[in-house]
Amino acid sequence: MFNKTNALSRSRRQRPLARNAKKREQSNKIPTPQSDSKSGLRVIPLGGNEEVGRNMTLFEYGGDIIILDMGLQFPEEDMPGIDYIIPNINYLKGKEKRIRGVILSHGHLDHIGAAPILLRNLGYPPVIGRDMTIAMVKKKMEDFQKGSAQHLKTMRVKSASDKIRLGKFGVEFFEVEHSIMDAVGVIIKTPDGTVIHPGDWTMEKNPASGKLVTYNHLSKLPGPRILMLESLGAIVTNPSRTTEEEMYRNLEKLISEAAGKIIIGTFSSQIRRIGYILEYAEKIGKKVALDGYSMKMNVEIAKELGYIKMHKETFISVSEIQKYPENRIIIVCTGAQGEVNAVLSRIITDNHKHIRIKKNDTVIFSSSVIPGNERTIQRLKDNLYRKCDNVIHSDIMDVHTSGHCSAQDIQEMLRQVRPHFFLPVYANHYMLKEAEKLAVRIGFLKNNIFVLDNGNILEVQKGKAKILPKKVDTSYVMVDGLGVGDIGQVVLRDRQVLSADGMFVITVLLDSKTKEVVGNIQITSRGFIYVKDNFDLVNETKRRVQKAIKETTSRNTSAERKFIEDNIREVVGKFLFQKTERRPMVLPVVIEV
Amino acid sequence: MFNKTNALSRSRRQRPLARNAKKREQSNKIPTPQSDSKSGLRVIPLGGNEEVGRNMTLFEYGGDIIILDMGLQFPEEDMPGIDYIIPNINYLKGKEKRIRGVILSHGHLDHIGAAPILLRNLGYPPVIGRDMTIAMVKKKMEDFQKGSAQHLKTMRVKSASDKIRLGKFGVEFFEVEHSIMDAVGVIIKTPDGTVIHPGDWTMEKNPASGKLVTYNHLSKLPGPRILMLESLGAIVTNPSRTTEEEMYRNLEKLISEAAGKIIIGTFSSQIRRIGYILEYAEKIGKKVALDGYSMKMNVEIAKELGYIKMHKETFISVSEIQKYPENRIIIVCTGAQGEVNAVLSRIITDNHKHIRIKKNDTVIFSSSVIPGNERTIQRLKDNLYRKCDNVIHSDIMDVHTSGHCSAQDIQEMLRQVRPHFFLPVYANHYMLKEAEKLAVRIGFLKNNIFVLDNGNILEVQKGKAKILPKKVDTSYVMVDGLGVGDIGQVVLRDRQVLSADGMFVITVLLDSKTKEVVGNIQITSRGFIYVKDNFDLVNETKRRVQKAIKETTSRNTSAERKFIEDNIREVVGKFLFQKTERRPMVLPVVIEV
């Protein structure tokens, strides 16, 4: 709720709304509807531990449950070998029949990527979304398991003015701007409160579409209004960030003036931008080859739905590029993050079947750097600059804009929607706290802001909101190959140890009666030292093992195998550390014969 | 060399120098001195493959060699377990007697960190540097090997006006600005050319010291002048970056106004800034506790040399902080990059013996994010925001400035020094290419710019410069524990495989005559699956191993052990992938009894 004095003194931009603070405060008094549910409206963000609620959010009311999004998260650096992480749905076990629907805000992987597994595990509840989103989920399901898309039950959202009912929930929609077609904001109505959730969003002052999206109409929704707001941008305070308009002008200039062929590396998720480039290419008579599975798939879907309009002659296959003059070719591809086997990397390392880079080509990185990929991308650029004189990236020219909001946008959204409760979500905790500060700075009362963690339960009832003391299970569910949730902390820790200093296996045969070593002790080592260069160390280790066994068994002739193994592990671990200051994983295998 | 027309048309800032391009061009004609050396002056940057010449540069003239810096590099993400990388000195083998001296530009690890190993391996050639630098090398040597500093032969640079002779080289110095005291620029004079090398540098328009450093006087040095210039800043084009002055005002405000204690996380290498904070703390009557080994060491050295002036009562130990009111305490510590066992991490996770964070404390990250550490730092901030209401970092306020140059600084330096040849160094290849573009944009001729790789040999003779076709060995020399250079690509690749999917050891005893399996097949697995939850998989694997052995030995009763092992590896690898889509390292150990 807006606080009068703060709003007046702190708001940087004196908007008409802020000047009329008295009136606004009255109209923003939190309504206290009579609840018809014992526990009111409950909101539960789920997912990994970092970006709160980004992958999945649960809403409960009067026994009914609806789900917003089913996304995946990419693994952290300390999760070697893990493919991705999906939301933990332990809380929903036994409640499957109460799930009235799964609403999908848009088709990006962090919002739909876990759907193939989670829909299956929840018995295929109905899925609600716009055409592009539904089409992408179907594709993902088929990729995951052939034939599984036939289980999908869908309710199509034909326009943002659609209204649907899911059990005790009324669900409505609103337009938002994001980097993919058919992204949609969601309104969830219950007698105890109305949740307003734009999903991923940005606010373009100068959108390429020419259509300015505003949110003032949401302030008319019945209260208490609970705004759940993606707040990744809370720390993006640079007021001079690139507009979509500027970015497109730069891209058009580069594309039209290029002397050689053009290679544009971007995310396959930037499907609106890719569509724009394709249509511009057609306008100036260039041919476009797409490369990268996800990119081709996304463009295919967008074309089928009529979201990208162009002649089929404009598209060529990468195998056909030799047929055209170099300066009529545009290649749009994946791999701008330096992913080892992605298209751009293969082009740069001369491992691409059809594409060779030349000095006068133009290579454009139309993407941001995902945190953690910085050094890989630096290396990619190094190699690229060796082969090409015209490499363009954001350090040099504005050829990318974020599909996400800025700090100013967050404040603007709050001013327009005028919620009673503010829940910053979809970002790391520290960014959510910064979003809280942004709201307080324009007069929002701190008491009405809730910074949740994944698994927290916010209960809204009779005009009051509170975080319940109990939390829902959000322990990581990691997917590795075919295994879902079977990799735990023990296995991960072992992988970390193995990666740091390798392993050292010692195989010993013992006479089961005399407990004396039979034959040679065998050493098998990987990732520790190069054994062939270290015979002395290996032989000395064998002697120490022999001695350790002798000492153990002479003291205690009935010594158990496990006891002998533990002893070997300790002696060898110490010895190797002393000699090398490395700590390989030591694995003794003692077999009695 | 400046090119008249380009200089006039392209220079953004019309400086007097640029307006007088005609005159300048004449004065910048490359002189063609008569060489008295068969091969002229040779310049060879060494080190890892990324930041060219940052860790070490060799200069050769008439059989004499001098070395600039002996630094280390931290490992890449694909080098698990490696501690650091040092320059490869294979090229110097057999040439040790020709080394006339090792000049150290300043005391940061990427410039002196490899000295303990390399000085030893080269027979302790004389080391030339200013006091702080020499003191830090001594400390590093003692840390590495007790007593080794006694071998150090030093020549002290007392002031920037010192001139020394090292064999056929004349060596002089000039003042530069950097984040550590006693950083010094180096001038290397030979009959064939004069190298000007500031080392790491920045250009402060408003230095805290009040002393503006300029480089115009270097343009008077005899030609051809070869400017080797740190060009990390070539992609730093934001003209409004924070000045030192602004940063210090912000820090002072935070420190003087804090309600609770202040914790400042920064790099121990930021020793000038730490000194400034200490002196300011004393001025306003606060006490300072330092924490972190390297930080304490650096401050100790700077104090001993008189570079930080303060009463000893201002310093307190972290164990004493309870004795003072919270708002009189400043803690300056390491760990702002999220290093697991560094001070800041221990404070945040409540694992620090003496320091507990309270809500009204102020925590300041006065550091940049090292590429690759982004996600770790995000997590650190998340945890910090949970415990403290006042966390300040660069996203929020300017509390850090880089000790390195910007794109504008590079152009300004070129204008002041007016070199005949320009060698951008100390950065990734793509940044060096951008530095080249910056130079061309203000009229420098592309032919006189040389973007070298590590190991390239640039030869300057009779007014001409060229890169020789042969390269010097720069393969990585990795340090892991006590091992220097003993980890190669095979061991690293094994570590990567082990980290991704773990390992799977199969131990089988075979009757040496019948070749039949004796006893139980043993499976030992780590980092792959949790064996106790996967008995079926393990048992099925054992059956397959049994079958594979039978098939191998029945066909060929004299089958060699290696052949049997290879067969097991293939069968088990395939089976496990089919069942799990994971590829653990499969290690069969077959023992005949």
Side-chain angles (χ1 to χ4, degrees):
Chain A
M1 198 175 80
F2 283 93
N3 168 303
K4 187 177 76 175
T5 51
N6 277 345
L8 278 174
S9 60
R10 292 195 183 174
S11 171
R12 288 200 212 153
R13 299 154 75 181
Q14 294 284 343
R15 294 174 51 79
L17 255 171
R19 270 191 234 118
N20 213 342
K22 181 75 191 163
K23 217 165 170 183
R24 198 193 50 221
E25 195 193 21
Q26 285 165 349
S27 72
N28 261 295
K29 221 169 169 178
I30 299 174
T32 53
Q34 276 311 301
S35 175
D36 63 353
S37 153
K38 255 199 292 191
S39 53
L41 165 66
R42 289 180 167 191
V43 179
I44 311 173
L46 280 180
N49 276 324
E50 308 224 343
E51 295 198 319
V52 177
R54 171 169 295 282
N55 307 132
M56 190 162 171
T57 310
L58 307 182
F59 301 89
E60 282 191 271
Y61 195 83
D64 284 350
I65 296 172
I66 56 176
I67 297 171
L68 178 63
D69 289 338
M70 285 186 163
L72 59 79
Q73 205 177 33
F74 290 100
E76 303 292 311
E77 313 93 281
D78 56 359
M79 301 175 184
I82 299 300
D83 300 333
Y84 53 91
I85 305 162
I86 60 172
N88 187 321
I89 53 167
N90 276 345
Y91 177 73
L92 293 173
K93 273 197 187 130
K95 304 189 182 81
E96 291 83 353
K97 293 238 168 83
R98 290 161 46 193
I99 301 172
R100 300 291 159 236
V102 179
I103 306 165
L104 301 178
S105 63
H106 65 285
H108 282 156
L109 280 185
D110 49 347
H111 297 267
I112 66 160
I117 296 175
L118 297 188
L119 288 176
R120 181 190 65 188
N121 293 0
L122 293 171
Y124 294 104
V127 169
I128 296 96
R130 290 174 90 168
D131 292 344
M132 180 89 183
T133 314
I134 298 284
M136 290 182 83
V137 169
K138 274 188 185 157
K139 188 81 187 70
K140 281 281 145 205
M141 291 175 78
E142 286 298 301
D143 283 353
F144 180 73
Q145 201 175 352
K146 203 137 186 77
S148 66
Q150 64 175 331
H151 301 297
L152 196 62
K153 294 189 272 291
T154 61
M155 294 171 71
R156 189 176 155 231
V157 180
K158 287 177 289 293
S159 94
S161 60
D162 283 9
K163 294 180 182 199
I164 60 173
R165 178 144 285 277
L166 297 173
K168 298 197 172 68
F169 296 94
V171 177
E172 301 176 11
F173 303 93
F174 58 101
E175 300 284 353
V176 292
E177 274 176 298
H178 190 43
S179 49
I180 187 170
M181 295 83 164
D182 276 353
V184 69
V186 178
I187 297 160
I188 295 170
K189 286 182 164 174
T190 71
D192 265 309
T194 305
V195 175
I196 299 167
H197 199 323
D200 283 346
W201 66 290
T202 185
M203 206 177 252
E204 267 298 335
K205 309 286 175 295
N206 202 356
S209 64
K211 213 172 59 179
L212 204 69
V213 177
T214 58
Y215 304 93
N216 293 300
H217 64 287
L218 302 175
S219 67
K220 311 281 192 308
L221 286 166
R225 287 184 297 281
I226 303 140
L227 178 63
M228 296 185 77
L229 195 60
E230 187 217 41
S231 301
L232 258 188
I235 56 164
V236 180
T237 51
N238 180 3
S240 68
R241 64 184 196 135
T242 320
T243 67
E244 226 180 16
E245 172 75 17
E246 287 161 350
M247 175 192 68
Y248 283 127
R249 288 301 87 77
N250 285 336
L251 286 175
E252 287 175 3
K253 193 166 185 298
L254 289 167
I255 292 172
S256 59
E257 294 177 359
K261 65 179 173 297
I262 299 158
I263 299 172
I264 303 175
T266 188
F267 301 118
S268 62
S269 58
Q270 288 286 357
I271 180 72
R272 284 210 314 177
R273 184 176 313 164
I274 297 167
Y276 192 97
I277 293 169
L278 296 181
E279 292 177 2
Y280 179 73
E282 179 161 299
K283 208 164 88 185
I284 62 165
K286 296 209 176 192
K287 300 285 177 188
V288 181
L290 296 173
D291 206 4
Y293 176 78
S294 54
M295 186 168 285
K296 283 196 257 186
M297 178 189 106
N298 290 357
V299 169
E300 193 50 44
I301 293 173
K303 260 170 50 195
E304 269 173 29
L305 295 171
Y307 291 143
I308 298 178
K309 289 182 189 72
M310 53 196 307
H311 295 117
K312 61 173 186 283
E313 302 90 65
T314 301
F315 277 109
I316 59 171
S317 142
V318 284
S319 63
E320 295 174 297
I321 57 174
Q322 280 85 352
K323 294 187 198 162
Y324 298 90
E326 292 265 316
N327 66 0
R328 283 190 61 205
I329 299 291
I330 300 173
I331 294 151
V332 184
C333 66
T334 55
Q337 294 297 307
E339 307 94 318
V340 179
N341 290 314
V343 181
L344 197 53
S345 288
R346 281 188 282 125
I347 295 175
I348 293 169
T349 54
D350 285 335
N351 285 314
H352 196 286
K353 207 171 156 192
H354 302 289
I355 306 169
R356 287 285 168 277
I357 288 193
K358 294 185 183 160
K359 277 278 174 194
N360 74 338
D361 289 344
T362 301
V363 180
I364 305 170
F365 285 76
S366 183
S367 63
S368 58
V369 177
I370 294 177
N373 292 356
E374 288 76 6
R375 294 185 81 164
T376 315
I377 294 177
Q378 286 189 346
R379 273 193 270 186
L380 193 75
K381 286 184 192 160
D382 281 352
N383 293 329
L384 199 46
Y385 271 70
R386 291 180 199 283
K387 300 201 167 155
C388 178
D389 284 339
N390 314 294
V391 185
I392 315 292
H393 44 92
S394 300
D395 290 331
I396 294 172
M397 192 188 281
D398 293 325
V399 286
H400 173 73
T401 61
S402 159
H404 300 278
C405 60
S406 72
Q408 283 89 341
D409 295 341
I410 291 173
Q411 292 182 323
E412 179 64 26
M413 178 68 105
L414 284 165
R415 287 195 191 92
Q416 291 193 18
V417 177
R418 300 169 58 196
H420 302 94
F421 299 113
F422 173 40
L423 276 60
V425 290
Y426 279 20
N428 277 58
H429 178 79
Y430 84 91
M431 299 176 189
L432 305 185
K433 295 293 278 189
E434 289 297 330
E436 176 181 63
K437 287 183 199 167
L438 288 174
V440 168
R441 227 170 274 148
I442 57 164
F444 214 89
L445 286 181
K446 203 171 166 178
N447 283 344
N448 294 330
I449 305 171
F450 295 89
V451 173
L452 304 183
D453 281 328
N454 278 322
N456 268 151
I457 303 170
L458 183 84
E459 192 180 87
V460 184
Q461 195 174 26
K462 295 178 187 160
K464 290 200 171 67
K466 63 172 185 229
I467 297 175
L468 302 187
K470 69 175 174 201
K471 274 181 88 172
V472 156
D473 184 7
T474 55
S475 53
Y476 280 130
V477 178
M478 291 177 268
V479 178
D480 182 4
L482 296 181
V484 175
D486 66 335
I487 299 274
Q489 285 309 315
V490 176
V491 172
L492 276 191
R493 212 162 38 236
D494 283 347
R495 286 183 183 179
Q496 287 158 18
V497 172
L498 287 167
S499 87
D501 284 321
M503 48 164 277
F504 198 87
V505 182
I506 304 150
T507 314
V508 185
L509 301 190
L510 281 193
D511 185 299
S512 58
K513 283 179 199 137
T514 64
K515 304 279 175 186
E516 273 175 13
V517 175
V518 178
N520 281 329
I521 293 169
Q522 294 233 15
I523 304 282
T524 313
S525 170
R526 292 286 187 281
F528 168 51
I529 46 166
Y530 200 55
V531 170
K532 285 182 185 158
D533 293 343
N534 288 279
F535 278 129
D536 290 349
L537 184 72
V538 170
N539 289 331
E540 178 61 24
T541 307
K542 286 181 182 174
R543 275 192 290 277
R544 304 234 168 183
V545 172
Q546 188 103 33
K547 201 172 142 217
I549 293 171
K550 207 166 209 170
E551 282 172 7
T552 318
T553 54
S554 66
R555 267 185 281 129
N556 179 359
T557 48
S558 65
E560 279 184 25
R561 207 187 68 180
K562 178 154 183 335
F563 185 66
I564 299 170
E565 286 180 348
D566 285 351
N567 217 2
I568 294 173
R569 186 177 296 114
E570 207 193 311
V571 167
V572 173
K574 264 190 199 159
F575 173 68
L576 294 179
F577 182 74
Q578 180 205 324
K579 287 293 181 190
T580 65
E581 290 198 0
R582 299 177 195 167
R583 296 189 189 283
M585 182 180 277
V586 177
L587 286 175
V589 179
V590 172
I591 303 177
E592 304 200 11
V593 289
Chain B
M1 196 174 80
F2 284 91
N3 169 301
K4 189 177 75 177
T5 51
N6 277 344
L8 279 173
S9 60
R10 291 195 184 174
S11 171
R12 287 201 212 153
R13 299 155 78 184
Q14 293 285 345
R15 294 173 50 78
L17 255 171
R19 270 190 236 121
N20 213 342
K22 181 73 188 160
K23 217 166 168 182
R24 197 193 47 219
E25 196 195 15
Q26 286 164 347
S27 73
N28 262 296
K29 219 168 171 180
I30 300 175
T32 53
Q34 276 312 302
S35 175
D36 63 352
S37 153
K38 257 199 294 193
S39 52
L41 166 65
R42 290 181 166 192
V43 179
I44 311 173
L46 279 180
N49 277 325
E50 309 224 343
E51 296 198 318
V52 177
R54 171 169 293 283
N55 306 133
M56 190 162 169
T57 310
L58 307 182
F59 301 89
E60 281 191 273
Y61 196 83
D64 284 351
I65 295 172
I66 56 178
I67 297 171
L68 178 64
D69 289 340
M70 285 186 162
L72 59 79
Q73 205 177 32
F74 289 100
E76 303 293 311
E77 311 93 280
D78 56 0
M79 301 175 186
I82 299 300
D83 301 333
Y84 53 92
I85 306 161
I86 59 172
N88 187 321
I89 54 166
N90 277 344
Y91 177 73
L92 293 173
K93 272 195 189 134
K95 304 190 182 80
E96 291 84 353
K97 294 236 169 85
R98 291 161 45 192
I99 301 171
R100 300 290 159 235
V102 179
I103 306 165
L104 301 176
S105 64
H106 65 286
H108 283 157
L109 281 185
D110 48 348
H111 297 267
I112 66 160
I117 296 175
L118 297 187
L119 287 175
R120 182 190 65 189
N121 293 0
L122 293 172
Y124 295 105
V127 169
I128 296 97
R130 290 174 92 169
D131 292 344
M132 180 90 183
T133 313
I134 297 284
M136 291 182 82
V137 169
K138 274 188 184 157
K139 188 81 186 72
K140 280 283 148 206
M141 290 176 77
E142 286 299 300
D143 283 354
F144 180 73
Q145 201 175 354
K146 204 137 186 75
S148 66
Q150 63 175 333
H151 301 296
L152 196 62
K153 293 188 273 291
T154 61
M155 294 171 72
R156 190 176 154 231
V157 179
K158 289 180 287 293
S159 94
S161 60
D162 282 10
K163 293 180 184 198
I164 59 172
R165 179 144 284 277
L166 297 173
K168 297 198 173 67
F169 296 95
V171 178
E172 302 177 11
F173 304 93
F174 59 99
E175 299 286 352
V176 294
E177 274 178 298
H178 190 44
S179 49
I180 186 170
M181 296 83 165
D182 276 353
V184 69
V186 178
I187 297 159
I188 296 170
K189 286 181 165 174
T190 70
D192 266 308
T194 304
V195 174
I196 300 167
H197 199 323
D200 283 347
W201 67 289
T202 184
M203 207 177 249
E204 267 297 335
K205 308 286 176 292
N206 201 358
S209 65
K211 215 173 56 179
L212 204 69
V213 177
T214 56
Y215 304 92
N216 292 299
H217 64 287
L218 301 175
S219 66
K220 310 282 191 310
L221 286 166
R225 287 184 298 280
I226 302 140
L227 178 62
M228 296 185 76
L229 194 62
E230 188 218 40
S231 301
L232 258 187
I235 56 164
V236 180
T237 50
N238 180 3
S240 68
R241 65 185 198 136
T242 321
T243 67
E244 225 180 16
E245 172 75 17
E246 287 161 351
M247 173 191 70
Y248 282 128
R249 289 301 87 79
N250 285 337
L251 287 174
E252 286 175 4
K253 193 164 184 301
L254 289 167
I255 292 172
S256 60
E257 293 176 358
K261 67 179 172 297
I262 300 157
I263 299 172
I264 303 175
T266 188
F267 301 119
S268 61
S269 58
Q270 287 287 357
I271 180 71
R272 285 209 315 176
R273 184 177 312 165
I274 297 167
Y276 192 98
I277 293 168
L278 297 181
E279 291 177 2
Y280 178 74
E282 180 162 300
K283 209 165 88 185
I284 63 165
K286 296 208 176 194
K287 300 286 176 187
V288 181
L290 295 174
D291 207 3
Y293 175 78
S294 53
M295 187 167 284
K296 283 196 258 187
M297 178 190 105
N298 290 358
V299 169
E300 193 52 43
I301 292 172
K303 261 171 49 196
E304 269 173 30
L305 294 171
Y307 292 143
I308 299 179
K309 290 184 189 71
M310 53 194 308
H311 296 117
K312 60 175 188 285
E313 303 90 64
T314 300
F315 278 108
I316 59 171
S317 141
V318 283
S319 62
E320 294 175 299
I321 58 173
Q322 280 84 354
K323 293 185 195 162
Y324 299 89
E326 291 265 317
N327 66 0
R328 284 191 62 205
I329 299 290
I330 300 174
I331 294 151
V332 184
C333 66
T334 56
Q337 295 296 308
E339 307 93 319
V340 178
N341 289 314
V343 180
L344 197 55
S345 288
R346 281 189 282 126
I347 295 175
I348 292 168
T349 54
D350 285 337
N351 286 313
H352 196 285
K353 207 170 156 191
H354 303 289
I355 306 169
R356 287 285 169 280
I357 288 193
K358 295 184 183 161
K359 277 278 174 195
N360 75 337
D361 288 344
T362 301
V363 180
I364 304 169
F365 285 75
S366 184
S367 62
S368 57
V369 177
I370 294 176
N373 292 355
E374 288 76 7
R375 294 185 81 165
T376 315
I377 294 177
Q378 286 188 346
R379 272 195 269 186
L380 192 75
K381 285 186 192 159
D382 280 351
N383 293 329
L384 199 47
Y385 271 71
R386 291 181 199 280
K387 299 199 168 156
C388 178
D389 285 338
N390 314 293
V391 184
I392 315 291
H393 43 91
S394 302
D395 290 329
I396 294 173
M397 194 188 281
D398 293 325
V399 286
H400 173 72
T401 59
S402 159
H404 300 278
C405 59
S406 71
Q408 284 89 340
D409 295 342
I410 291 172
Q411 293 183 322
E412 179 64 26
M413 178 68 103
L414 284 165
R415 287 195 191 94
Q416 291 192 19
V417 177
R418 300 170 58 196
H420 302 94
F421 298 114
F422 173 39
L423 276 62
V425 290
Y426 279 22
N428 278 57
H429 178 79
Y430 83 92
M431 300 176 188
L432 305 185
K433 294 294 278 189
E434 288 297 330
E436 177 181 62
K437 288 183 198 164
L438 289 174
V440 169
R441 226 169 274 148
I442 57 163
F444 215 90
L445 285 181
K446 204 171 167 179
N447 282 344
N448 295 329
I449 305 172
F450 295 89
V451 174
L452 303 183
D453 281 329
N454 279 322
N456 268 150
I457 304 170
L458 183 84
E459 192 180 86
V460 184
Q461 196 174 25
K462 295 177 189 162
K464 290 199 168 68
K466 64 173 186 232
I467 297 175
L468 301 188
K470 68 175 175 200
K471 274 180 87 173
V472 155
D473 184 8
T474 55
S475 52
Y476 281 129
V477 178
M478 292 178 267
V479 178
D480 181 6
L482 295 182
V484 176
D486 66 335
I487 300 274
Q489 286 309 316
V490 176
V491 172
L492 276 191
R493 212 161 39 235
D494 283 348
R495 286 183 183 177
Q496 288 158 16
V497 172
L498 287 167
S499 88
D501 284 321
M503 48 166 277
F504 198 86
V505 182
I506 304 150
T507 314
V508 185
L509 301 190
L510 280 194
D511 185 300
S512 58
K513 283 182 198 132
T514 64
K515 304 280 174 187
E516 273 175 10
V517 174
V518 178
N520 281 329
I521 292 170
Q522 293 232 16
I523 304 282
T524 312
S525 171
R526 292 286 186 283
F528 168 52
I529 46 165
Y530 200 55
V531 170
K532 285 183 185 158
D533 292 343
N534 288 280
F535 276 127
D536 290 349
L537 184 71
V538 170
N539 288 332
E540 179 60 23
T541 307
K542 286 181 183 174
R543 275 192 290 277
R544 304 234 167 183
V545 171
Q546 189 104 33
K547 199 172 144 217
I549 294 172
K550 210 168 207 164
E551 280 171 10
T552 318
T553 54
S554 65
R555 266 185 282 128
N556 179 358
T557 48
S558 64
E560 277 185 28
R561 207 187 68 181
K562 178 153 183 338
F563 185 66
I564 300 172
E565 285 180 350
D566 287 348
N567 216 2
I568 295 174
R569 186 179 294 116
E570 206 192 312
V571 167
V572 172
K574 264 190 199 158
F575 174 68
L576 294 178
F577 182 74
Q578 178 204 325
K579 287 291 180 191
T580 65
E581 290 198 2
R582 299 175 196 169
R583 297 189 188 281
M585 183 180 277
V586 176
L587 286 174
V589 180
V590 172
I591 303 177
E592 303 198 10
V593 289

